[in-house]
Amino acid sequence: EYPVFGAVKPTSYLNDVRFSTDGSRAYITDSGAGGLVVIDLETGAAHRALDGHPSTMATGTRVVIDGTPWGSDEDPPRVHADGIALFGEHLYFQALTARTLYRVPLQLLERDVSAETRATGVEAVAEVGPSDGLIAGPDGSIYLSSLEHNAVRVLHPGGAIEIVAQDPLIAWPDSFSFGP
């Protein structure tokens, strides 16, 4: 009765979710196995996209929090696709233990698109450092949690990155949402 389970692997850790503007799709990052899960909210059908693709996988980046490396040198944490944002016709995503923000056209995430075609549409957007949470602003800016700097930063459409807020109290910022 739960079709999404067919898109989940034994090592999956489903993390963040964004919904299409028309409410027909849910896009979920899989931080455990690396990939995206796409759910058709009208039928309940689910499938994996960019499964194991380099854009969804951890790169071995060592995250440093308040001057201390996260985890041990022998076995540093590897967290795959994590933060996710949706703007216009693109889905933005990033592995937590990586430094590159990627995007892919939503049309390439549909079930009937081949893995090869899907992979050709993935675009590296910017080097932004480890980010746990993402959200798109109304102008296409991408707001990024900045674990290593106790901050929230913004990537503007032109490519400039600036700090929005920074304070030691902003420890490991994650999920974002907009309110009234």
Side-chain angles (χ1 to χ4, degrees), residues 4-179:
V4 72
F5 291 137
V8 176
K9 295 181 169 187
T11 58
S12 286
Y13 162 37
L14 300 184
N15 196 329
D16 290 355
V17 62
R18 294 290 177 220
F19 298 94
S20 61
T21 54
D22 67 1
S24 68
R25 301 282 186 274
Y27 304 96
I28 305 171
T29 52
D30 184 344
S31 299
L36 303 172
V37 173
V38 181
I39 303 172
D40 181 322
L41 297 173
E42 295 166 3
T43 67
H47 66 276
R48 294 187 68 83
L50 300 173
D51 188 36
H53 185 270
S55 65
T56 64
M57 303 303 289
T59 62
T61 295
R62 247 353 249 288
V63 178
V64 178
I65 307 292
D66 294 327
T68 303
W70 179 38
S72 69
D73 288 335
E74 298 79 34
D75 190 24
R78 296 182 60 78
V79 182
H80 303 299
D82 190 302
I84 189 169
L86 193 147
F87 182 76
E89 294 302 314
H90 286 91
L91 188 73
Y92 293 78
F93 57 95
Q94 178 176 345
L96 187 140
T97 52
R99 297 188 176 278
T100 305
L101 174 68
Y102 293 92
R103 75 178 190 170
V104 65
L106 294 175
Q107 66 189 20
L108 294 183
L109 296 176
E110 291 298 314
R111 177 183 294 280
D112 61 349
V113 176
S114 73
E116 295 78 23
T117 299
R118 195 175 282 139
T120 64
V122 174
E123 175 186 356
V125 176
E127 294 293 316
V128 296
S131 295
D132 199 354
L134 307 174
I135 196 167
D139 66 347
S141 293
I142 304 296
Y143 291 84
L144 313 145
S145 67
S146 182
L147 310 179
E148 295 184 317
H149 300 102
N150 296 328
V152 175
R153 299 183 310 150
V154 61
L155 171 66
H156 294 287
I161 298 174
E162 71 175 305
I163 293 174
V164 174
Q166 184 174 32
D167 190 280
L169 295 175
I170 304 176
W172 201 300
D174 189 358
S175 300
F176 296 128
S177 63
F178 288 107

